[in-house]
Amino acid sequence: MTKEEARILLMDYMYGELEADQAKELEQYISQHADLKQELEELTETRSMLQHLPVQSPQEQLVIMEPETREKTATSNWWERVRTALSPQAGFARTSFAIAGFVFLFVITGALTNMKVSIGDNGFSMTFGEQPPAQVGYTPSQVELIINQVQKENAQLVNQIVLAAQEQQEEQFQQTLATFAQYIDDQRATDLELMNYSLSSLEETTYNRFRQTDQVLGEIIQTVSTND
Amino acid sequence: MEDAQLVQDFLGGNHQAFNKLVGRWQDRIHHFAYRYFASSDDAAEITQKTFIKAYQKLDTLDDASKFGSWLYRIANNLCLDELKRVGRKRATSLEALKEAPQTDVSSSADGRLVRNEALVLLHKALLQIPNDQRMVVIMKEYEGLTFREIAEILDESENTVKSRLYYGLRTLKKTFDSWNINKEVFNYD
């Protein structure tokens, strides 16, 4: 016997669930191991302390009421009574009842809405009301005619688009030229105004210098005459 | 009348047989839950739920003679569900309890007061050990179930149950020592 095994047996021993011969064997083993003896004493003391744990009893007695009794006390709940009377109580019966109800509802709804269910190459389909007219196929000549017509329409459409694009480009080009010409005219007018202003300034400056020169010459002549 | 007979009577349509079972087991389930949660409200709620579930599922009980073990299994599962539901809240409260309260018998003027305080600490110590150990300690120490019955209820081996009990008691002993509680405290009347 190992100490771990002895500890497990110790639990049986403390609670009186060990056979007499096993108990005797364990007691002999414990007497040879002081640490196990100490453990047994401590565990026994712990148990004796746990026995003092207070406990509270329930404040009221539980009573489970019969379903019929609960029905009688809830007389105002008429829907509950109707539902209980109509629906079965067992789980399987309830499920069967629900499935049957669903099938019944499905059939009635199908009849009222003229529902048709079909399975074809494209899969499962369900339709309500009047059936759509069956799809009629085209002959090869009709297909060729349709293709030609579509090609013709496409060509016309492409032609219209190209023409519209050309007109738009031309219009944009004309507009750009007009803008550029206007810009050149404005620039030339501005340059002319600047040149005119510069010439006027030059002319005025020259005139002023002539006058200054005349004045200085006059002063010189007067000074020479006075000296003479 | 045995529990098994009452179970058979109920399944045969005698509704009052179930109320006799309730009357017979209500105190034990309530005490079990009270010791587990240390709360009268929780104990009452667990007890009520246990019997409602038993009422709904009694037709699934294979062996009517094991009604008691089956009832404990329901109560145990409900306790675990409750722990999961409010685990964080309970964990917080348990953390608060870990602050070791000190009880000094020699310096106390009123031994009876010390005893009352020790009784409270006793429950707090029980709340501090791991849930699976606490469950086994309660089932064995207070409900008096055999190791085989506990193993069936918890769906564990008997050795696992004994091991949990051993470590649960050892942890309790250490807690009592750290809080300076000994058996002499309970001798005051």
Side-chain angles (χ1 to χ4, degrees):
Chain A
M1 184 188 299
T2 65
K3 281 192 178 178
E4 282 306 310
E5 289 169 345
R7 286 191 175 99
I8 294 296
L9 287 174
L10 215 55
M11 296 296 102
D12 295 297
Y13 180 76
M14 283 200 308
Y15 291 91
E17 290 190 35
L18 209 58
E19 298 293 333
D21 52 341
Q22 284 183 304
K24 197 170 181 179
E25 187 183 352
L26 181 66
E27 285 169 357
Q28 194 172 359
Y29 186 83
I30 290 173
S31 66
Q32 296 166 355
H33 296 84
D35 53 341
L36 279 180
K37 191 176 179 183
Q38 174 74 16
E39 277 187 26
L40 178 60
E41 287 173 1
E42 289 178 355
L43 291 173
T44 306
E45 184 184 335
T46 304
R47 281 198 61 202
S48 72
M49 289 165 70
L50 283 174
Q51 288 305 316
H52 294 282
L53 185 72
V55 71
Q56 287 186 359
S57 293
Q59 294 178 345
E60 54 189 17
Q61 178 70 36
L62 278 178
V63 176
I64 306 292
M65 294 175 69
E66 288 185 63
E68 292 79 10
T69 312
R70 278 185 287 187
E71 256 180 59
K72 286 173 189 169
T73 58
T75 50
S76 60
N77 193 353
W78 61 271
W79 167 247
E80 192 66 24
R81 281 185 286 132
V82 170
R83 193 181 65 80
T84 308
L86 289 178
S87 64
Q89 299 301 309
F92 177 74
R94 275 174 180 270
T95 308
S96 304
F97 190 77
I99 292 171
F102 177 74
V103 171
F104 178 73
L105 195 65
F106 186 76
V107 169
I108 292 295
T109 308
L112 290 175
T113 57
N114 196 20
M115 182 182 71
K116 284 189 171 52
V117 179
S118 60
I119 301 172
D121 295 337
N122 294 328
F124 178 83
S125 68
M126 189 162 58
T127 56
F128 297 93
E130 291 296 325
Q131 289 287 325
Q135 183 70 32
V136 180
Y138 294 103
T139 62
S141 59
Q142 285 177 323
V143 171
E144 191 177 356
L145 187 65
I146 290 170
I147 291 172
N148 288 334
Q149 192 171 352
V150 170
Q151 284 178 340
K152 192 176 178 183
E153 287 176 357
N154 284 345
Q156 285 178 349
L157 191 63
V158 170
N159 193 26
Q160 286 175 357
I161 291 171
V162 169
L163 284 175
Q166 282 179 348
E167 283 179 6
Q168 191 178 3
Q169 285 179 353
E170 193 172 347
E171 189 179 343
Q172 285 179 348
F173 183 69
Q174 292 295 337
Q175 195 173 357
T176 306
L177 274 179
T179 307
F180 185 69
Q182 180 68 34
Y183 171 75
I184 294 297
D185 285 347
D186 291 346
Q187 192 66 35
R188 193 177 63 174
T190 307
D191 292 345
L192 285 172
E193 280 180 9
L194 282 172
M195 287 174 65
N196 193 26
Y197 176 76
S198 300
L199 286 172
S200 299
S201 299
L202 183 64
E203 186 179 359
E204 189 176 350
T205 306
T206 307
Y207 174 74
N208 288 335
R209 287 188 177 171
F210 275 138
R211 283 192 63 186
Q212 287 175 355
T213 306
D214 288 345
Q215 191 174 357
V216 171
L217 283 174
E219 287 174 358
I220 292 170
I221 292 169
Q222 190 175 2
T223 305
V224 171
S225 299
T226 306
N227 290 336
D228 291 336
Chain B
M1 190 180 288
E2 294 292 325
D3 287 345
Q5 186 59 50
L6 289 171
V7 170
Q8 296 298 341
D9 288 353
F10 172 72
L11 294 177
N14 180 4
H15 182 85
Q16 285 310 314
F18 189 82
N19 276 328
K20 286 182 181 173
L21 286 168
V22 172
R24 187 176 288 187
W25 283 93
Q26 184 182 354
D27 278 9
R28 294 181 69 174
I29 297 299
H30 185 93
H31 291 165
F32 168 75
Y34 177 79
R35 285 173 175 127
Y36 194 78
F37 287 119
S39 160
S40 295
D41 291 340
D42 285 343
E45 189 180 340
I46 293 293
T47 307
Q48 191 177 16
K49 284 181 179 176
T50 299
F51 284 109
I52 289 172
K53 200 158 189 176
Y55 181 85
Q56 293 168 339
K57 303 281 184 184
L58 196 55
D59 56 342
T60 65
L61 177 60
D62 295 330
D63 186 353
S65 65
K66 292 184 176 176
F67 174 77
S69 299
W70 181 72
L71 203 61
Y72 274 118
R73 184 193 288 249
I74 294 174
N76 175 49
N77 290 336
L78 288 170
C79 287
L80 295 178
D81 290 345
E82 180 68 8
L83 275 183
K84 283 181 192 168
R85 194 174 67 82
V86 289
R88 185 174 296 176
K89 184 181 167 187
R90 287 196 189 286
T92 307
S93 66
L94 290 179
E95 284 296 322
L97 290 176
K98 283 180 180 173
E99 293 173 11
Q102 294 296 319
T103 307
D104 189 352
V105 183
S106 59
S107 65
S108 174
D110 190 345
R112 191 166 295 181
L113 191 66
V114 172
R115 183 180 187 277
N116 289 338
E117 191 180 349
L119 290 175
V120 174
L121 295 181
L122 204 61
H123 218 152
K124 287 183 177 178
L126 191 59
L127 285 174
Q128 285 204 11
I129 64 175
N131 295 326
D132 52 353
Q133 294 177 11
R134 181 161 82 249
M135 190 65 81
V136 173
V137 169
I138 292 171
M139 284 181 174
K140 189 64 194 167
E141 197 62 46
Y142 302 110
E143 303 306 317
L145 299 173
T146 63
F147 285 116
R148 183 186 296 271
E149 286 172 328
I150 297 173
E152 281 181 9
I153 291 168
L154 300 180
D155 200 18
E156 299 281 1
S157 70
E158 285 189 47
N159 276 352
T160 301
V161 171
K162 291 170 191 172
S163 177
R164 286 180 186 174
L165 180 63
Y166 172 81
Y167 286 109
L169 292 174
R170 295 289 297 170
T171 309
L172 282 169
K173 169 66 178 164
K174 286 178 186 172
T175 307
F176 293 157
D177 287 346
S178 67
W179 290 357
N180 200 21
I181 303 173
N182 53 50
K183 62 181 180 182
E184 292 163 9
V185 175
F186 300 103
N187 291 333
Y188 293 98
D189 289 322

